[in-house]
Structure formats: C-alpha cells, structure tokens
Amino acid sequence: MTKSQNYLKGAAVLGVAGIIVKILGAVYRIPLSNIIKDEGIGYYQTAYPIYVLLLTLSTAGIPVAIAKLVSEKRALGDYRNAHKVFKVSLVGLVVLGILTSLTVAVGAEMIVESIGNPNAYYALLALAPALLFVPIMAAFRGFFQGSQTMFPTALSQVLEQLFRVATGLGLTVLLLDKGLPIAAGGASFGGSMGAIIGAVTIIIIYLKRRSSIKDEIATTIISKEYPVKSIIKDLLLIAVPITIGSAIAPIMNTVDAALVFRRLQDIGYTSKTANDLYGQLTGMAQTLVNLPQVFSIAISMSLVPAISTASARKARDELGSLISSGIRMTLLIGLPAALGMFVLAKPIIALLYFNNEPSVIASTGDILTYLSLGVIFLTLVQALTAIIQGLGKPIIPVRNLFFGALAKITLTYILTGIPAINVKGAAISTVTAYAVAATLDFYYVIKTANAGIDLKKILLKPLMSSLGMAAVVKLGYMAMSSIMPDKLATVGAVGLGVVVYGVLLIVTGTITREDLAMFSKGGRIADKLGRFLKSEKQ
C-alpha cells in the first residue's frame, strides 16, 4: 500500500468513526431532555462548557503535536525517539489530568456558585474522572496517529461515546427519584465512564502491540539523543496555537453561561427559571442546530489536504474550483437545514421533546426559531476554516472567531437583559457570532485566494431551492395538521421537504451531471435522470 493510499484509508476510518460519534452525541440529548426535562438539562449544560474548557486547555493541541513529532521521527527511521516523544507526552498529560481533575473535584461547588447555578454541582463533580482519563487517552491517540495507525483512535472514540450514552442514560433513569440535580450528575458521569472505557481500550491495544513496538525501536540505527526539554519545547510550539484556537468556543460558551444566568436573574427571573431557560437554549434547541455539523465536518475534513495540495502547486483554477465546491456543498446542507427548522421550529420541538410541558415546548420552539438561522453560518465557518487552514493560515479563522466571540458576549449581555427578549437574546448573539466569523472568513478567502467564485452558482441557486422548499414545507404542514395529528403532520412535512428540495435542486440547475458523477454510482443516477439534469457547460 502506498503512503497516499494509507493516508486515505486512515482518513476514512477516522471519518466514519467521527460521524458515528457525532450522531450518537446528538441523538443522546433528545431522550436525555425528555427524561430530566429543561430543568435537569440546565444543570447538565451548566457543567459541560466548564468541562470542555478545562479539557481543551489540557489536551486540545497535544495529540496533533505528538502525531506530528512521532511521524517526523519515524520518517527518519528514528523509532527510539518517536517513542520517547510519546513517553514524555504521556507523563505530562497525566500530570495535567491530575491537576484539572483535582481542580474540579475540590472546586466544583465554588465554580457553579460563581456562575449562579449551585444545583449544577453534581453534574460538574461527576466529570472530574473524565478530566484524568481523557488526557491519558489523548497521548496514546497521538502516538498511534503519528504511526499512521488510525484504528485504535477510531475504536476508542466509538466505545467512549457508546459507554457515555449508555451509562449517562442508565444512571439518569436510576437516579431520577433522587432529584434532578443528582440525576443530571448521573448524566454527566456518562462522560467519565466513556473516558475510562476509551482509555482502557487504547491502553490494551498498545500493550498487545508492545512487543512489535519494541522490535521496531530495536531497528533504529542512528539515534541522536532527543532531550526532554527539546521535546517539551517542540510539543508546545505546535500545541499552543491549536489550543488557543480550540479554546475560543468553550471560553465563549462558559462566559455565555455565566452571563445568561446573571442577566436573567437581573431582570427578575428566579435561579430555577433561569436554569430552565438555559436548558431549553443549550440542551434542547442547540442540540438540533448541531446535527447538520455531522455532514459539514465531513466536508471540512476532506477540504484541508485538497486545498493544501492545490495551493502548494499554485494551481489557481483547481484552487478556485475546490473553494467554490466546498462552500457550495456546505450551503446545500446548511441552507435547507436552517430554513426547514425555521419554519417548523415549534412542531419539531413538540415531536422530539414530547415529554415536556406545553409551555416548555412553546418557549424552546421560539428559541429554535432564532437559533436555526445560525446553522447557515456555523456550517460555513467550518468549511471556510478548513479552506483557510489549507491555504496555510491557521491563525486567521482563530482571529475571526475571536471577533465573533466578542460580538456574542456583548449582545448576550445587552439583549438577555431586556425582559421582552430574555434568553432569546443569547440565541440571537450566537447567530451573530458565527455570522461575523463567517463573513470575515469569506472576505479573507475572496481576497487572498485570488480565485474566481461564481456567487450565483454557490449561493443564489441553493438559496432559491431552499426558500422554495421552506415555503412548500410550511404550507404542507398547515394543510396536513388540519386533517391529522400534529406529530404525523410534522413527519409528513419533513418528508415532503426532502422530496421538494431534491426536485428544486434539479430544476434550478443547482445539482448538475458533474456533481453526481463525483459520487459512487452517481453516473448511473445521472443517466436515469437523463434530460432533467443540466450540465455545467450549459
């Protein structure tokens, strides 16, 4: 197998694992929200951004740094120092894991009280073990990825998420009669159990391969000593910029949590009501907004190497084609998802979160109406970030997202403090944050890539198809809900939307013969559709 074939196989393995993990994570929130409802989700969601932030600070860029240094040493045949990089990293990550885990174990009560949601104590405390085991897992994942062996990472990711979902839901049900704060703690402990299982899995794989790793190390012929100080320095040079970029979103979410609670209480809401509204925002509506990312992330993963290659070869036409294709395919997902959720916000919430009170469903539907438009900009940010990274400018998306974060914090403070807007102000600020970042990213790509982009093709045609679909879906739902139950009407309207959108993509020429030819068996589909499909040359 050639190196390129090995790379593509590894990318495919990680890609499939990533999609499975994302789907499990998104689906997990729906039954969880029906069990502990908006109040319990509020406690859970208060703890989660803090956990993600601490995890990001301790591990975000280190697996990438380990993989890079390990792969560089292995390319030189220096297997001894490649393994030394792993060992030094493992020790460092264990220390970081112990420190962050102890910080949460000892300071959980103080942290949640400072945010203004003391009942989130158990939800945060239950995540302390995960802060130890995830960094350990990160070290092994970095080593295997640097060795171009992706299966251990993929398997540990899938098992981690499976046990997180099973344990979290199981404990939530068992602890429900102990009260919602403790039940939310049970849901959080799913994350810790998943981390433990993931870490144990990848350690077992490493131990089983240890003899072959030792044999490989023994083949090292020339091995100049790689000092520990140099390893740490090189790791930090790679990891710190990545960590800074990765930390912006969790920092934004953590600050947002504190602001939302404080501002809602400033305008007269009780701590419990503020928590309920926050649960509706982040645990229920936000979950649905995150679903389309499963597909946009897959697109982004494939864009980086393709853009990098075209940029390195200075192939301007190819670069322009890749950029246009990446943006267009992202909008083909983001636009219909956003507009579909916009016109069916309340029916979708009623369908998925059926076990909640009508007032909660109505409130969450209002939130989703505002938040749904963020899907367009969130998916665009992912694609444009991948494009800019492929152009060799990874700090630009970080800077642009930082400006978006500043806009979000400012608007959250102002809008959430207006009684008539309340928690919907946080939803509006989230949409604005990603709109700012997407706009700045798009401007940079247009200005820097110097590649002709056809706005009619990548934006106007997908927008026309999506608007047409949204109008038909809204009218279809209104007609069906008058003759059948609302839930059945919602399912019917969604199905109608899928069919109508597909037809409109063909009628408007948004999808062409060339597009279908890119997919497996796409040529056969194009032949069957025959005269209905247009060609890019037409």
Side-chain angles (χ1 to χ4, degrees):
M1 181 180 288
T2 66
K3 288 184 178 180
S4 61
Q5 288 173 324
N6 191 47
Y7 165 76
L8 290 171
K9 181 181 177 182
V13 169
L14 287 179
V16 171
I19 290 173
I20 293 171
V21 166
K22 283 287 181 183
I23 291 173
L24 283 171
V27 171
Y28 170 56
R29 297 295 180 89
I30 295 172
L32 184 63
S33 298
N34 282 315
I35 297 169
I36 57 177
K37 303 184 181 179
D38 58 337
E39 181 183 345
I41 284 292
Y43 304 141
Y44 177 85
Q45 284 296 134
T46 298
Y48 204 72
I50 300 166
Y51 161 72
V52 172
L53 174 58
L54 290 171
L55 207 59
T56 299
L57 293 174
S58 62
T59 66
I62 295 181
V64 176
I66 295 170
K68 186 174 188 299
L69 293 181
V70 167
S71 63
E72 286 175 354
K73 292 299 178 184
R74 289 176 59 86
L76 298 173
D78 191 357
Y79 302 108
R80 189 180 309 281
N81 279 321
H83 195 258
K84 185 176 180 180
V85 168
F86 160 66
K87 290 191 294 183
V88 171
S89 304
L90 179 60
V91 171
L93 284 170
V94 167
V95 172
L96 281 172
I98 291 171
L99 290 175
T100 53
S101 183
L102 285 176
T103 297
V104 167
V106 174
E109 186 174 3
M110 181 184 69
I111 293 169
V112 295
E113 284 182 355
S114 68
I115 289 175
N117 196 9
N119 281 332
Y121 168 72
Y122 295 106
L124 182 57
L125 184 65
L127 288 166
L131 288 166
L132 172 60
F133 285 95
V134 171
I136 293 172
M137 190 163 37
F140 284 92
R141 285 176 176 174
F143 173 70
F144 281 120
Q145 288 171 25
S147 304
Q148 295 190 28
T149 306
M150 306 303 176
F151 175 75
T153 296
L155 181 62
S156 66
Q157 284 177 338
V158 172
L159 288 178
E160 177 189 2
Q161 191 72 320
L162 279 172
F163 276 86
R164 177 194 171 214
V165 171
T167 304
L169 291 177
L171 285 177
T172 302
V173 173
L174 287 173
L175 297 173
L176 197 56
D177 60 351
K178 303 288 185 182
L180 286 175
I182 294 177
S188 284
F189 189 74
S192 290
M193 180 56 72
I196 292 168
I197 295 298
V200 169
T201 299
I202 205 162
I203 289 170
I204 289 173
I205 294 172
Y206 172 81
L207 292 175
K208 285 187 174 181
R209 300 186 181 188
R210 196 170 182 181
S211 59
S212 62
I213 292 171
K214 285 183 176 179
D215 291 342
E216 194 175 55
I217 291 171
T219 64
T220 301
I221 301 172
I222 302 173
S223 178
K224 184 181 178 181
E225 185 62 26
Y226 195 3
V228 172
K229 286 185 179 180
S230 297
I231 292 174
I232 295 172
K233 178 185 174 183
D234 291 343
L235 284 169
L236 291 177
L237 283 172
I238 300 168
V240 169
I242 297 173
T243 300
I244 292 172
S246 301
I248 289 177
I251 287 172
M252 182 170 65
N253 292 336
T254 302
V255 172
D256 198 48
L259 278 178
V260 170
F261 277 109
R262 293 299 183 188
R263 294 301 281 160
L264 289 176
Q265 291 177 56
D266 286 345
I267 58 175
Y269 287 96
T270 64
S271 175
K272 179 186 179 302
T273 305
N275 172 77
D276 294 352
L277 289 171
Y278 187 71
Q280 293 168 22
L281 170 70
T282 58
M284 298 168 76
Q286 186 71 54
T287 296
L288 300 180
V289 170
N290 289 338
L291 279 171
Q293 291 185 64
V294 171
F295 305 100
S296 59
I297 287 172
I299 293 171
S300 300
M301 286 174 63
S302 62
L303 272 176
V304 176
I307 295 287
S308 298
T309 302
S311 179
R313 290 178 19 229
K314 301 188 186 305
R316 184 176 177 275
D317 291 342
E318 182 183 348
L319 189 62
S321 177
L322 286 168
I323 290 172
S324 295
S325 177
I327 295 173
R328 185 165 67 98
M329 294 303 292
T330 299
L331 286 172
L332 286 175
I333 296 165
L335 281 169
L339 296 177
M341 279 192 276
F342 180 78
V343 298
L344 288 181
K346 289 184 181 179
I348 289 172
I349 293 295
L351 174 68
L352 297 176
Y353 301 115
F354 55 86
N355 203 33
N356 286 270
E357 298 293 330
S359 60
V360 172
I361 290 172
S363 175
T364 308
D366 287 337
I367 294 170
L368 182 60
T369 301
Y370 290 94
L371 202 57
S372 60
L373 297 179
V375 173
I376 301 169
F377 304 111
L378 177 56
T379 52
L380 266 179
V381 164
Q382 290 167 341
L384 291 167
T385 296
I387 290 168
I388 297 170
Q389 287 174 342
L391 293 171
K393 301 291 183 180
I395 200 65
I396 299 298
V398 174
R399 182 198 66 188
N400 294 342
L401 187 57
F402 175 74
F403 289 136
L406 289 179
K408 175 175 173 56
I409 291 168
T410 303
L411 283 177
T412 296
Y413 183 84
I414 295 170
L415 296 178
T416 309
I418 300 173
I421 300 176
N422 56 74
V423 77
K424 293 186 284 291
I428 295 168
S429 69
T430 297
V431 175
T432 304
Y434 287 111
V436 168
T439 302
L440 292 173
D441 285 348
F442 188 73
Y443 175 76
Y444 181 86
V445 169
I446 296 295
K447 180 182 176 182
T448 305
N450 193 27
I453 294 177
D454 186 350
L455 288 178
K456 179 182 177 182
K457 181 179 178 181
I458 70 169
L459 176 59
L460 293 181
K461 286 185 175 182
L463 181 59
M464 287 170 55
S465 300
S466 299
L467 286 171
M469 176 273 298
V472 172
V473 164
K474 184 65 175 180
L475 292 172
Y477 171 75
M478 291 170 63
M480 285 185 276
S481 62
S482 65
I483 58 174
M484 62 179 69
D486 279 353
K487 290 183 175 61
L488 193 57
T490 304
V491 174
V494 171
L496 176 65
V498 172
V499 174
V500 169
Y501 184 59
V503 171
L504 288 174
L505 288 178
I506 295 172
V507 171
T508 60
T510 307
I511 289 290
T512 64
R513 287 179 175 274
E514 289 79 4
D515 290 326
L516 287 178
M518 293 171 62
F519 298 95
S520 177
K521 299 183 180 179
R524 293 183 184 178
I525 297 173
D527 290 338
K528 288 181 180 180
L529 291 173
R531 61 189 176 86
F532 297 108
L533 274 177
K534 296 180 181 180
S535 172
E536 290 183 2
K537 297 177 182 179
Q538 292 179 330

mmCIF file with all atom_site columns, all heavy atoms in Angstrom, residues 72-87:
data_model
loop_
_atom_site.group_PDB
_atom_site.id
_atom_site.type_symbol
_atom_site.label_atom_id
_atom_site.label_alt_id
_atom_site.label_comp_id
_atom_site.label_asym_id
_atom_site.label_entity_id
_atom_site.label_seq_id
_atom_site.pdbx_PDB_ins_code
_atom_site.Cartn_x
_atom_site.Cartn_y
_atom_site.Cartn_z
_atom_site.occupancy
_atom_site.B_iso_or_equiv
_atom_site.pdbx_formal_charge
_atom_site.auth_seq_id
_atom_site.auth_comp_id
_atom_site.auth_asym_id
_atom_site.auth_atom_id
_atom_site.pdbx_PDB_model_num
ATOM 1   N N   . GLU A 1 72 ? 7.426  12.524 12.202 1.00 0.00 ? 72 GLU A N   1
ATOM 2   C CA  . GLU A 1 72 ? 8.689  13.056 11.691 1.00 0.00 ? 72 GLU A CA  1
ATOM 3   C C   . GLU A 1 72 ? 9.857  12.154 12.067 1.00 0.00 ? 72 GLU A C   1
ATOM 4   O O   . GLU A 1 72 ? 10.735 11.862 11.239 1.00 0.00 ? 72 GLU A O   1
ATOM 5   C CB  . GLU A 1 72 ? 8.921  14.464 12.245 1.00 0.00 ? 72 GLU A CB  1
ATOM 6   C CG  . GLU A 1 72 ? 8.022  15.525 11.604 1.00 0.00 ? 72 GLU A CG  1
ATOM 7   C CD  . GLU A 1 72 ? 8.183  16.897 12.243 1.00 0.00 ? 72 GLU A CD  1
ATOM 8   O OE1 . GLU A 1 72 ? 8.902  17.006 13.268 1.00 0.00 ? 72 GLU A OE1 1
ATOM 9   O OE2 . GLU A 1 72 ? 7.581  17.855 11.731 1.00 0.00 ? 72 GLU A OE2 1
ATOM 10  N N   . LYS A 1 73 ? 9.896  11.704 13.307 1.00 0.00 ? 73 LYS A N   1
ATOM 11  C CA  . LYS A 1 73 ? 10.982 10.820 13.756 1.00 0.00 ? 73 LYS A CA  1
ATOM 12  C C   . LYS A 1 73 ? 10.919 9.460  13.058 1.00 0.00 ? 73 LYS A C   1
ATOM 13  O O   . LYS A 1 73 ? 11.938 8.893  12.658 1.00 0.00 ? 73 LYS A O   1
ATOM 14  C CB  . LYS A 1 73 ? 10.919 10.638 15.278 1.00 0.00 ? 73 LYS A CB  1
ATOM 15  C CG  . LYS A 1 73 ? 11.236 11.902 16.072 1.00 0.00 ? 73 LYS A CG  1
ATOM 16  C CD  . LYS A 1 73 ? 12.653 12.392 15.794 1.00 0.00 ? 73 LYS A CD  1
ATOM 17  C CE  . LYS A 1 73 ? 12.977 13.667 16.535 1.00 0.00 ? 73 LYS A CE  1
ATOM 18  N NZ  . LYS A 1 73 ? 14.317 14.188 16.199 1.00 0.00 ? 73 LYS A NZ  1
ATOM 19  N N   . ARG A 1 74 ? 9.697  8.957  12.906 1.00 0.00 ? 74 ARG A N   1
ATOM 20  C CA  . ARG A 1 74 ? 9.548  7.662  12.231 1.00 0.00 ? 74 ARG A CA  1
ATOM 21  C C   . ARG A 1 74 ? 9.965  7.754  10.761 1.00 0.00 ? 74 ARG A C   1
ATOM 22  O O   . ARG A 1 74 ? 10.520 6.803  10.214 1.00 0.00 ? 74 ARG A O   1
ATOM 23  C CB  . ARG A 1 74 ? 8.092  7.187  12.331 1.00 0.00 ? 74 ARG A CB  1
ATOM 24  C CG  . ARG A 1 74 ? 7.687  6.740  13.734 1.00 0.00 ? 74 ARG A CG  1
ATOM 25  C CD  . ARG A 1 74 ? 6.206  6.380  13.771 1.00 0.00 ? 74 ARG A CD  1
ATOM 26  N NE  . ARG A 1 74 ? 5.908  5.310  12.836 1.00 0.00 ? 74 ARG A NE  1
ATOM 27  C CZ  . ARG A 1 74 ? 6.028  4.015  13.088 1.00 0.00 ? 74 ARG A CZ  1
ATOM 28  N NH1 . ARG A 1 74 ? 6.462  3.623  14.285 1.00 0.00 ? 74 ARG A NH1 1
ATOM 29  N NH2 . ARG A 1 74 ? 5.731  3.114  12.186 1.00 0.00 ? 74 ARG A NH2 1
ATOM 30  N N   . ALA A 1 75 ? 9.696  8.891  10.133 1.00 0.00 ? 75 ALA A N   1
ATOM 31  C CA  . ALA A 1 75 ? 10.082 9.070  8.726  1.00 0.00 ? 75 ALA A CA  1
ATOM 32  C C   . ALA A 1 75 ? 11.590 8.990  8.552  1.00 0.00 ? 75 ALA A C   1
ATOM 33  O O   . ALA A 1 75 ? 12.093 8.596  7.489  1.00 0.00 ? 75 ALA A O   1
ATOM 34  C CB  . ALA A 1 75 ? 9.560  10.412 8.214  1.00 0.00 ? 75 ALA A CB  1
ATOM 35  N N   . LEU A 1 76 ? 12.333 9.354  9.615  1.00 0.00 ? 76 LEU A N   1
ATOM 36  C CA  . LEU A 1 76 ? 13.797 9.278  9.590  1.00 0.00 ? 76 LEU A CA  1
ATOM 37  C C   . LEU A 1 76 ? 14.317 7.923  10.058 1.00 0.00 ? 76 LEU A C   1
ATOM 38  O O   . LEU A 1 76 ? 15.526 7.697  10.118 1.00 0.00 ? 76 LEU A O   1
ATOM 39  C CB  . LEU A 1 76 ? 14.385 10.385 10.488 1.00 0.00 ? 76 LEU A CB  1
ATOM 40  C CG  . LEU A 1 76 ? 14.067 11.835 10.081 1.00 0.00 ? 76 LEU A CG  1
ATOM 41  C CD1 . LEU A 1 76 ? 14.564 12.795 11.160 1.00 0.00 ? 76 LEU A CD1 1
ATOM 42  C CD2 . LEU A 1 76 ? 14.703 12.166 8.737  1.00 0.00 ? 76 LEU A CD2 1
ATOM 43  N N   . GLY A 1 77 ? 13.386 7.039  10.419 1.00 0.00 ? 77 GLY A N   1
ATOM 44  C CA  . GLY A 1 77 ? 13.786 5.735  10.946 1.00 0.00 ? 77 GLY A CA  1
ATOM 45  C C   . GLY A 1 77 ? 14.211 5.793  12.396 1.00 0.00 ? 77 GLY A C   1
ATOM 46  O O   . GLY A 1 77 ? 14.770 4.829  12.938 1.00 0.00 ? 77 GLY A O   1
ATOM 47  N N   . ASP A 1 78 ? 13.930 6.917  13.058 1.00 0.00 ? 78 ASP A N   1
ATOM 48  C CA  . ASP A 1 78 ? 14.323 7.107  14.459 1.00 0.00 ? 78 ASP A CA  1
ATOM 49  C C   . ASP A 1 78 ? 13.164 6.701  15.371 1.00 0.00 ? 78 ASP A C   1
ATOM 50  O O   . ASP A 1 78 ? 12.509 7.529  16.011 1.00 0.00 ? 78 ASP A O   1
ATOM 51  C CB  . ASP A 1 78 ? 14.706 8.569  14.692 1.00 0.00 ? 78 ASP A CB  1
ATOM 52  C CG  . ASP A 1 78 ? 15.368 8.797  16.047 1.00 0.00 ? 78 ASP A CG  1
ATOM 53  O OD1 . ASP A 1 78 ? 15.478 7.823  16.821 1.00 0.00 ? 78 ASP A OD1 1
ATOM 54  O OD2 . ASP A 1 78 ? 15.755 9.941  16.335 1.00 0.00 ? 78 ASP A OD2 1
ATOM 55  N N   . TYR A 1 79 ? 12.916 5.399  15.434 1.00 0.00 ? 79 TYR A N   1
ATOM 56  C CA  . TYR A 1 79 ? 11.782 4.886  16.206 1.00 0.00 ? 79 TYR A CA  1
ATOM 57  C C   . TYR A 1 79 ? 11.974 5.054  17.713 1.00 0.00 ? 79 TYR A C   1
ATOM 58  O O   . TYR A 1 79 ? 11.002 5.182  18.455 1.00 0.00 ? 79 TYR A O   1
ATOM 59  C CB  . TYR A 1 79 ? 11.561 3.414  15.863 1.00 0.00 ? 79 TYR A CB  1
ATOM 60  C CG  . TYR A 1 79 ? 11.304 3.183  14.385 1.00 0.00 ? 79 TYR A CG  1
ATOM 61  C CD1 . TYR A 1 79 ? 12.274 2.578  13.584 1.00 0.00 ? 79 TYR A CD1 1
ATOM 62  C CD2 . TYR A 1 79 ? 10.113 3.593  13.793 1.00 0.00 ? 79 TYR A CD2 1
ATOM 63  C CE1 . TYR A 1 79 ? 12.053 2.386  12.224 1.00 0.00 ? 79 TYR A CE1 1
ATOM 64  C CE2 . TYR A 1 79 ? 9.886  3.399  12.436 1.00 0.00 ? 79 TYR A CE2 1
ATOM 65  C CZ  . TYR A 1 79 ? 10.860 2.799  11.662 1.00 0.00 ? 79 TYR A CZ  1
ATOM 66  O OH  . TYR A 1 79 ? 10.632 2.623  10.317 1.00 0.00 ? 79 TYR A OH  1
ATOM 67  N N   . ARG A 1 80 ? 13.235 5.075  18.150 1.00 0.00 ? 80 ARG A N   1
ATOM 68  C CA  . ARG A 1 80 ? 13.515 5.226  19.581 1.00 0.00 ? 80 ARG A CA  1
ATOM 69  C C   . ARG A 1 80 ? 13.023 6.592  20.087 1.00 0.00 ? 80 ARG A C   1
ATOM 70  O O   . ARG A 1 80 ? 12.327 6.682  21.097 1.00 0.00 ? 80 ARG A O   1
ATOM 71  C CB  . ARG A 1 80 ? 15.014 5.071  19.845 1.00 0.00 ? 80 ARG A CB  1
ATOM 72  C CG  . ARG A 1 80 ? 15.372 5.007  21.331 1.00 0.00 ? 80 ARG A CG  1
ATOM 73  C CD  . ARG A 1 80 ? 16.886 4.859  21.522 1.00 0.00 ? 80 ARG A CD  1
ATOM 74  N NE  . ARG A 1 80 ? 17.416 3.758  20.718 1.00 0.00 ? 80 ARG A NE  1
ATOM 75  C CZ  . ARG A 1 80 ? 17.318 2.479  21.057 1.00 0.00 ? 80 ARG A CZ  1
ATOM 76  N NH1 . ARG A 1 80 ? 16.718 2.143  22.184 1.00 0.00 ? 80 ARG A NH1 1
ATOM 77  N NH2 . ARG A 1 80 ? 17.820 1.542  20.269 1.00 0.00 ? 80 ARG A NH2 1
ATOM 78  N N   . ASN A 1 81 ? 13.386 7.650  19.374 1.00 0.00 ? 81 ASN A N   1
ATOM 79  C CA  . ASN A 1 81 ? 12.965 8.980  19.815 1.00 0.00 ? 81 ASN A CA  1
ATOM 80  C C   . ASN A 1 81 ? 11.489 9.234  19.532 1.00 0.00 ? 81 ASN A C   1
ATOM 81  O O   . ASN A 1 81 ? 10.860 10.039 20.223 1.00 0.00 ? 81 ASN A O   1
ATOM 82  C CB  . ASN A 1 81 ? 13.826 10.057 19.148 1.00 0.00 ? 81 ASN A CB  1
ATOM 83  C CG  . ASN A 1 81 ? 15.160 10.229 19.857 1.00 0.00 ? 81 ASN A CG  1
ATOM 84  O OD1 . ASN A 1 81 ? 15.236 10.176 21.082 1.00 0.00 ? 81 ASN A OD1 1
ATOM 85  N ND2 . ASN A 1 81 ? 16.226 10.420 19.082 1.00 0.00 ? 81 ASN A ND2 1
ATOM 86  N N   . ALA A 1 82 ? 10.941 8.561  18.534 1.00 0.00 ? 82 ALA A N   1
ATOM 87  C CA  . ALA A 1 82 ? 9.492  8.670  18.293 1.00 0.00 ? 82 ALA A CA  1
ATOM 88  C C   . ALA A 1 82 ? 8.730  8.172  19.513 1.00 0.00 ? 82 ALA A C   1
ATOM 89  O O   . ALA A 1 82 ? 7.762  8.797  19.959 1.00 0.00 ? 82 ALA A O   1
ATOM 90  C CB  . ALA A 1 82 ? 9.101  7.860  17.052 1.00 0.00 ? 82 ALA A CB  1
ATOM 91  N N   . HIS A 1 83 ? 9.215  7.061  20.059 1.00 0.00 ? 83 HIS A N   1
ATOM 92  C CA  . HIS A 1 83 ? 8.564  6.506  21.253 1.00 0.00 ? 83 HIS A CA  1
ATOM 93  C C   . HIS A 1 83 ? 8.861  7.359  22.485 1.00 0.00 ? 83 HIS A C   1
ATOM 94  O O   . HIS A 1 83 ? 8.020  7.471  23.391 1.00 0.00 ? 83 HIS A O   1
ATOM 95  C CB  . HIS A 1 83 ? 9.028  5.062  21.484 1.00 0.00 ? 83 HIS A CB  1
ATOM 96  C CG  . HIS A 1 83 ? 8.163  4.311  22.441 1.00 0.00 ? 83 HIS A CG  1
ATOM 97  N ND1 . HIS A 1 83 ? 8.524  4.077  23.753 1.00 0.00 ? 83 HIS A ND1 1
ATOM 98  C CD2 . HIS A 1 83 ? 6.926  3.761  22.294 1.00 0.00 ? 83 HIS A CD2 1
ATOM 99  C CE1 . HIS A 1 83 ? 7.564  3.412  24.356 1.00 0.00 ? 83 HIS A CE1 1
ATOM 100 N NE2 . HIS A 1 83 ? 6.590  3.204  23.498 1.00 0.00 ? 83 HIS A NE2 1
ATOM 101 N N   . LYS A 1 84 ? 10.016 7.995  22.506 1.00 0.00 ? 84 LYS A N   1
ATOM 102 C CA  . LYS A 1 84 ? 10.358 8.866  23.630 1.00 0.00 ? 84 LYS A CA  1
ATOM 103 C C   . LYS A 1 84 ? 9.433  10.082 23.673 1.00 0.00 ? 84 LYS A C   1
ATOM 104 O O   . LYS A 1 84 ? 9.028  10.528 24.751 1.00 0.00 ? 84 LYS A O   1
ATOM 105 C CB  . LYS A 1 84 ? 11.813 9.326  23.519 1.00 0.00 ? 84 LYS A CB  1
ATOM 106 C CG  . LYS A 1 84 ? 12.279 10.136 24.732 1.00 0.00 ? 84 LYS A CG  1
ATOM 107 C CD  . LYS A 1 84 ? 13.758 10.501 24.624 1.00 0.00 ? 84 LYS A CD  1
ATOM 108 C CE  . LYS A 1 84 ? 14.217 11.294 25.833 1.00 0.00 ? 84 LYS A CE  1
ATOM 109 N NZ  . LYS A 1 84 ? 15.658 11.644 25.741 1.00 0.00 ? 84 LYS A NZ  1
ATOM 110 N N   . VAL A 1 85 ? 9.096  10.603 22.500 1.00 0.00 ? 85 VAL A N   1
ATOM 111 C CA  . VAL A 1 85 ? 8.125  11.704 22.426 1.00 0.00 ? 85 VAL A CA  1
ATOM 112 C C   . VAL A 1 85 ? 6.820  11.289 23.093 1.00 0.00 ? 85 VAL A C   1
ATOM 113 O O   . VAL A 1 85 ? 6.226  12.039 23.881 1.00 0.00 ? 85 VAL A O   1
ATOM 114 C CB  . VAL A 1 85 ? 7.864  12.109 20.962 1.00 0.00 ? 85 VAL A CB  1
ATOM 115 C CG1 . VAL A 1 85 ? 6.655  13.039 20.872 1.00 0.00 ? 85 VAL A CG1 1
ATOM 116 C CG2 . VAL A 1 85 ? 9.089  12.777 20.360 1.00 0.00 ? 85 VAL A CG2 1
ATOM 117 N N   . PHE A 1 86 ? 6.377  10.080 22.786 1.00 0.00 ? 86 PHE A N   1
ATOM 118 C CA  . PHE A 1 86 ? 5.136  9.563  23.376 1.00 0.00 ? 86 PHE A CA  1
ATOM 119 C C   . PHE A 1 86 ? 5.248  9.450  24.888 1.00 0.00 ? 86 PHE A C   1
ATOM 120 O O   . PHE A 1 86 ? 4.342  9.875  25.625 1.00 0.00 ? 86 PHE A O   1
ATOM 121 C CB  . PHE A 1 86 ? 4.801  8.202  22.753 1.00 0.00 ? 86 PHE A CB  1
ATOM 122 C CG  . PHE A 1 86 ? 3.850  7.375  23.573 1.00 0.00 ? 86 PHE A CG  1
ATOM 123 C CD1 . PHE A 1 86 ? 2.526  7.789  23.769 1.00 0.00 ? 86 PHE A CD1 1
ATOM 124 C CD2 . PHE A 1 86 ? 4.270  6.193  24.168 1.00 0.00 ? 86 PHE A CD2 1
ATOM 125 C CE1 . PHE A 1 86 ? 1.659  7.031  24.532 1.00 0.00 ? 86 PHE A CE1 1
ATOM 126 C CE2 . PHE A 1 86 ? 3.404  5.433  24.927 1.00 0.00 ? 86 PHE A CE2 1
ATOM 127 C CZ  . PHE A 1 86 ? 2.091  5.848  25.110 1.00 0.00 ? 86 PHE A CZ  1
ATOM 128 N N   . LYS A 1 87 ? 6.353  8.898  25.379 1.00 0.00 ? 87 LYS A N   1
ATOM 129 C CA  . LYS A 1 87 ? 6.503  8.698  26.823 1.00 0.00 ? 87 LYS A CA  1
ATOM 130 C C   . LYS A 1 87 ? 6.541  10.020 27.584 1.00 0.00 ? 87 LYS A C   1
ATOM 131 O O   . LYS A 1 87 ? 5.899  10.171 28.632 1.00 0.00 ? 87 LYS A O   1
ATOM 132 C CB  . LYS A 1 87 ? 7.778  7.885  27.114 1.00 0.00 ? 87 LYS A CB  1
ATOM 133 C CG  . LYS A 1 87 ? 7.693  6.429  26.693 1.00 0.00 ? 87 LYS A CG  1
ATOM 134 C CD  . LYS A 1 87 ? 8.843  5.609  27.236 1.00 0.00 ? 87 LYS A CD  1
ATOM 135 C CE  . LYS A 1 87 ? 10.172 6.031  26.646 1.00 0.00 ? 87 LYS A CE  1
ATOM 136 N NZ  . LYS A 1 87 ? 11.293 5.182  27.132 1.00 0.00 ? 87 LYS A NZ  1
#
